[in-house]
């Protein structure tokens, strides 16, 4: 069991926000799975993302890795809330939901948070079963580079999230971060987040309860002959690129070492922080988690909770049975 503020994640395995957590049936399967400790929705926007045939995924031939060109979910926030209302009301589980959200402007993000807060407060028992994760790191949105690579662009969104927390300190907020590669990037993120710590009833509190490290690695290229055919009749050798745009977000085993490095670096910097509120931030480790051994490596690097997406895409919810070491 791992507590992130009031959110109880038990067991400490979760799905990452991804295309395989998009619709009702996918969320229901994750919710009913005994090996997931929480369910994370695919990243929602206020009105839904316009998805087309260029938004897809390819799995590699030579490793359990993937390249995707997906944007955000075509399902709008209100539909996710309707589904979550049904799940939370059925009495079958006390498993929490993490609602992954993003928007193109801080104003729209604020509107989403107001809607979520109205939903959370409609039933007092739901306050400890709904968290929010801000996806600041999708690399596939044309004209909208991930704001978490440019902190001045990120701060307006952080301001809105911090205000939502100050208005209601029972709200658990996480940040989904990209893979960083330079030491100064990690230190700058820590300094930025620490600036939001403030006294709350005599205790120093930071609005941000956890980091998910990492999202996919953008600007990655895979050729068609490197990818598995989606079905027996398909010939990927005739496809120039594995995904139609060519470039996409790399995930799975191909980024495992980089993701471990991000988890380790953030874990160390948080533990060494002079700010006691920063030392309370939990890390969800993700990136190339395809085996029980990979889960253990994430834990050794500093992750309290471990997430996966690529294995979920390949195996369905059996992925979590595999990761728990219980698969036959």
């Amino acid at each position: 069991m791992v507590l992130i503020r009031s959110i109880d994640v038990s067991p400490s395995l979760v799905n990452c926000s991804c295309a395989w957590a998009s619709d009702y049936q996918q969320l229901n399967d994750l919710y009913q799975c005994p090996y997931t400790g929480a369910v994370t929705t695919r990243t929602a926007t206020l009105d839904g993302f316009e998805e087309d045939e260029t938004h897809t995924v390819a799995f590699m031939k030579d490793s359990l890795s993937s390249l995707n060109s997906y944007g955000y979910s075509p399902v709008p926030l209100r539909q996710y809330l309707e589904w979550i209302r049904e799940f939370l009301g059925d009495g079958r589980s006390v498993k929490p939901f993490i609602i992954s959200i993003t928007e193109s402007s801080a104003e729209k993000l604020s509107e989403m948070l107001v809607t979520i807060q109205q939903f959370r407060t409609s039933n007092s028992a739901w306050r400890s079963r709904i968290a929010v994760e801000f996806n600041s790191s999708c690399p596939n949105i044309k004209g909208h580079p991930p704001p978490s690579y440019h902190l001045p662009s990120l701060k307006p969104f952080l301001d809105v999230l911090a205000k939502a927390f100050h208005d209601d300190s029972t709200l658990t907020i996480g940040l989904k971060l990209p893979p960083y590669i330079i030491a100064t990037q990690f230190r700058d993120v820590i300094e930025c987040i620490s600036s939001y710590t403030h006294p709350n009833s005599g205790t120093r509190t930071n609005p941000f309860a956890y980091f998910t490290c990492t999202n996919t690695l953008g600007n990655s290229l895979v050729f068609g002959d490197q990818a598995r055919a989606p079905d027996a009749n398909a010939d990927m050798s005739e496809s120039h690129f594995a995904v139609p745009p060519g470039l996409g977000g790399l995930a799975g085993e191909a980024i495992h070492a980089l993701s471990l490095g991000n988890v380790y670096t953030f874990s160390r910097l948080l533990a060494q922080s002079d700010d006691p509120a920063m030392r309370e931030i939990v890390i969800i480790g993700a990136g190339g988690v395809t085996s029980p051994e990979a889960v253990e490596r994430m834990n050794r690097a500093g992750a309290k909770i471990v997430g996966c997406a690529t294995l979920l895409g390949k195996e369905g919810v059996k992925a979590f049975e595999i990761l728990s070491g219980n698969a036959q």
Side-chain angles (χ1 to χ4, degrees):
M1 181 189 79
V2 177
L3 277 175
I4 310 179
R5 303 274 168 86
S6 63
I7 302 296
D8 182 352
V9 182
S10 180
S12 56
L13 286 174
V14 299
N15 68 293
C16 299
S17 58
C18 63
W20 303 289
S22 296
D23 61 33
Y24 178 91
Q25 189 58 55
Q26 291 168 333
L27 294 175
N28 185 61
D29 291 346
L30 289 163
Y31 187 58
Q32 296 304 318
C33 176
Y35 301 103
T36 59
V39 178
T40 309
T41 69
R42 187 177 180 184
T43 301
T45 58
L46 190 61
D47 298 315
F49 180 81
E50 189 174 341
E51 193 168 69
D52 59 36
E53 67 278 358
T54 67
H55 300 106
T56 188
V57 65
F59 292 90
M60 311 285 197
K61 285 180 180 177
D62 59 353
S63 72
L64 218 173
S65 304
S66 64
L67 185 80
N68 84 77
S69 54
Y70 289 121
Y72 305 122
S73 178
V75 178
L77 174 64
R78 63 182 178 277
Q79 181 62 71
Y80 281 118
L81 294 181
E82 289 177 14
W83 290 338
I84 292 171
R85 182 185 299 276
E86 180 179 335
F87 294 134
L88 295 184
D90 68 11
R92 291 179 293 174
S93 172
V94 294
K95 190 176 296 186
F97 276 83
I98 299 171
I99 305 174
S100 177
I101 61 172
T102 198
E103 257 301 346
S104 58
S105 71
E107 291 76 18
K108 285 188 174 182
L109 185 69
S110 179
E111 189 174 345
M112 295 183 80
L113 289 165
V114 168
T115 301
I116 291 170
Q117 286 294 72
Q118 290 172 343
F119 179 79
R120 286 181 71 245
T121 56
S122 67
N123 185 319
S124 59
W126 293 355
R127 287 178 178 267
S128 61
R129 293 185 64 191
I130 297 172
V132 168
E133 180 177 276
F134 175 56
N135 186 346
S136 66
S137 49
C138 179
N140 297 332
I141 310 301
K142 290 182 180 179
H144 294 280
S148 47
Y149 280 128
H150 183 246
L151 295 183
S153 298
L154 181 62
K155 280 189 67 66
F157 297 100
L158 298 180
D159 291 345
V160 164
L161 292 161
K163 181 182 184 304
F165 175 79
H166 297 326
D167 290 344
D168 178 3
S169 61
T170 69
L171 178 63
T172 299
I173 302 172
L175 300 175
K176 188 171 187 180
L177 298 174
Y180 294 111
I181 60 171
I182 302 169
T184 54
Q185 292 176 309
F186 296 94
R187 291 197 295 268
D188 288 347
V189 170
I190 293 294
E191 182 178 342
C192 175
I193 299 303
S194 183
S195 71
Y196 287 91
T197 297
H198 80 119
N200 182 30
S201 301
T203 303
R204 291 179 63 80
T205 308
N206 194 282
F208 304 103
Y210 73 90
F211 297 161
T212 296
C213 305
T214 66
N215 206 332
T216 60
L217 180 63
N219 204 51
S220 299
L221 178 68
V222 174
F223 288 101
D225 59 5
Q226 296 176 274
R228 298 179 186 273
D231 59 65
N233 298 318
D235 183 3
M236 291 301 289
S237 65
E238 297 298 317
S239 302
H240 190 52
F241 297 123
V243 295
L247 300 174
L250 186 65
E253 291 175 347
I255 68 163
H256 186 54
L258 178 59
S259 297
L260 283 172
N262 274 249
V263 169
Y264 176 76
T265 302
F266 273 123
S267 176
R268 184 180 56 183
L269 290 173
L270 290 169
Q272 295 172 350
S273 175
D274 292 333
D275 180 351
M278 293 294 288
R279 298 197 293 268
E280 298 297 318
I281 292 176
V282 172
I283 293 178
I284 299 178
V289 178
T290 60
S291 66
E293 293 78 15
V295 172
E296 195 268 338
R297 286 190 291 269
M298 280 292 181
N299 291 148
R300 282 165 54 195
K304 297 290 182 65
I305 298 168
V306 177
C308 85
T310 294
L311 188 65
L312 173 62
K314 182 177 181 292
E315 299 287 348
V317 294
K318 185 183 176 183
F320 298 98
E321 186 177 0
I322 293 170
L323 296 178
S324 69
N326 291 315
Q328 300 299 316

